[in-house]
Amino acid sequence: QGLLLKLPSIRPVFGLASVHAMPSLWLLVALSAAAASSGAADVLPPRPPSKAAPPKKVELRASAFVPYYTYKGDLKVSGFVMVVGAGTLSTALQTLSWRLSNVDPTCATPPAAGADPNACGIHIHMGMSCTENADGHFYNPTLVSADPWTAVQYLAVKGKGGVWSTSGKNAKVITGLNNHDVLGHTMVVHNSLGVRIACGILNVAEE
């Protein structure tokens, strides 16, 4: 309830208008006292800071495959390979997912023991052009002791129209590199003999 304070008598200085204004003054004092007695309960706690959205992972994509510049065979690989990076330093890795057509039918079975280490492989190479030598597999030898790319192999499946295709996902390769490092590098597809048959360039994937 409001607190009503009794004020001392005030002589009218400005005439009758000041006398008639006194009830309003009593009401103002009463409302002010009530607000002072309950103000602490009406104070709202500060809002917690809004959480920032987690950074979006940058996806890279190699598509528009062309025959490797020295390959003279009949296989004309098409499709795409997606690459997502994660980790730092010695745990930095790329996760590959792909869907490719016109791959080597002989890769319908896994390479036999003693086969070329690149047989039926899909690998990121050091080169940055499909018109010249793509050089070796791309990884950081200071952080990764052995070539991690030889473990990545595709399995060919015969589909409609007799087209041999392959699809895969979540193939993790610890390279010691992040996606900024591999951006612009070559993605090379091999046949069952380890020969380089197709080449694409890793670019930022369009949304």
Side-chain angles (χ1 to χ4, degrees):
Q1 295 180 354
L3 177 63
L4 203 60
L5 300 179
K6 186 175 182 181
L7 298 178
S9 300
I10 301 176
R11 288 186 178 182
V13 177
F14 300 102
L16 291 175
S18 299
V19 175
H20 292 306
M22 288 304 295
S24 297
L25 180 61
W26 285 108
L27 178 61
L28 180 61
V29 171
L31 291 175
S32 299
S37 63
S38 61
D42 296 334
V43 176
L44 297 176
R47 289 184 177 181
S50 57
K51 293 183 179 179
K56 186 177 180 180
K57 292 184 178 179
V58 177
E59 291 187 343
L60 304 182
R61 178 186 177 108
S63 57
F65 281 90
V66 298
Y68 191 76
Y69 83 109
T70 58
Y71 177 66
K72 305 301 181 183
D74 297 328
L75 298 174
K76 298 186 184 301
V77 177
S78 61
F80 66 86
V81 180
M82 300 293 294
V83 178
V84 177
T88 59
L89 300 176
S90 61
T91 65
L93 59 83
Q94 277 67 51
T95 300
L96 275 62
S97 300
W98 64 84
R99 185 174 297 169
L100 299 169
S101 299
N102 301 310
V103 295
D104 187 355
T106 312
C107 290
T109 56
D116 188 287
N118 293 316
C120 305
I122 302 175
H123 309 141
I124 298 177
H125 282 245
M126 296 170 63
M128 302 183 72
S129 172
C130 288
T131 61
E132 59 187 9
N133 192 346
D135 296 320
H137 296 159
F138 194 31
Y139 65 99
N140 187 338
T142 303
L143 299 174
V144 180
S145 59
D147 184 349
W149 286 106
T150 56
V152 182
Q153 299 173 341
Y154 66 87
L155 191 67
V157 177
K158 191 175 183 179
K160 293 181 179 180
V163 176
W164 288 88
S165 303
T166 179
S167 60
K169 60 181 180 179
N170 297 329
K172 299 184 184 300
V173 187
I174 297 177
T175 60
L177 304 170
N178 59 39
N179 261 19
H180 178 74
D181 295 326
V182 303
L183 176 64
H185 282 260
T186 48
M187 179 71 70
V188 175
V189 181
H190 299 259
N191 67 7
S192 60
L193 300 177
V195 174
R196 302 174 183 185
I197 61 174
C199 177
I201 300 295
L202 282 169
N203 294 300
V204 177
E206 296 181 0
E207 295 185 359

